[in-house]
């Protein structure tokens, strides 16, 4: 799976990591729903760090279609809300 972190680039991520990422995504969604700005910041950072740690960066010149687009680390709660689907940021 190709994942884009807005403002950073793309990474190739094995689908086997989706379970770990979905746990963070569920936590992020709960924090957003409760308006927990501090928890939202912490969990968004942890989610993006996990993608960076588990994924392999694609070269800047690569033009692969992104199957998943994640917000930048400095995205606001309202910006992330606009990116959500029924499953959160990460499907599944």
């Amino acid at each position: 799976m190709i994942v884009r972190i807005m403002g950073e680039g793309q990474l190739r991520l094995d689908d086997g990591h989706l379970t770990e990422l979905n746990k963070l995504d569920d936590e992020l969604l709960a924090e957003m729903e409760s308006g927990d700005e501090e928890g939202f910041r912490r969990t968004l950072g942890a989610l993006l760090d996990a993608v960076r740690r588990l994924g392999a960066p694609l070269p800047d010149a690569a033009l692969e279609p992104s199957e998943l687009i994640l917000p930048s680390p400095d995205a606001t709660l309202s910006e992330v809300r606009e990116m959500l689907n029924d499953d959160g940021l990460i499907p599944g």
Side-chain angles (χ1 to χ4, degrees), residues 9-68:
Q10 293 179 302
L11 299 103
R12 184 174 309 281
L13 188 69
D14 186 272
D15 289 348
H17 297 299
L18 288 178
T19 301
E20 178 181 346
L21 298 178
N22 270 318
K23 290 177 185 174
L24 290 167
D25 188 41
D26 291 345
E27 188 177 328
L28 185 69
L29 189 56
E31 291 161 349
M32 291 178 63
E33 289 172 354
S34 70
D36 180 358
E37 180 78 32
E38 185 178 320
F40 163 77
R41 277 281 138 234
R42 181 182 57 249
T43 305
L44 177 59
L47 176 64
L48 297 177
D49 286 346
V51 169
R52 292 181 196 111
R53 177 175 44 84
L54 299 169
L58 294 181
D60 290 338
L63 296 173
E64 300 284 331
S66 299
E67 297 167 74
L68 181 60

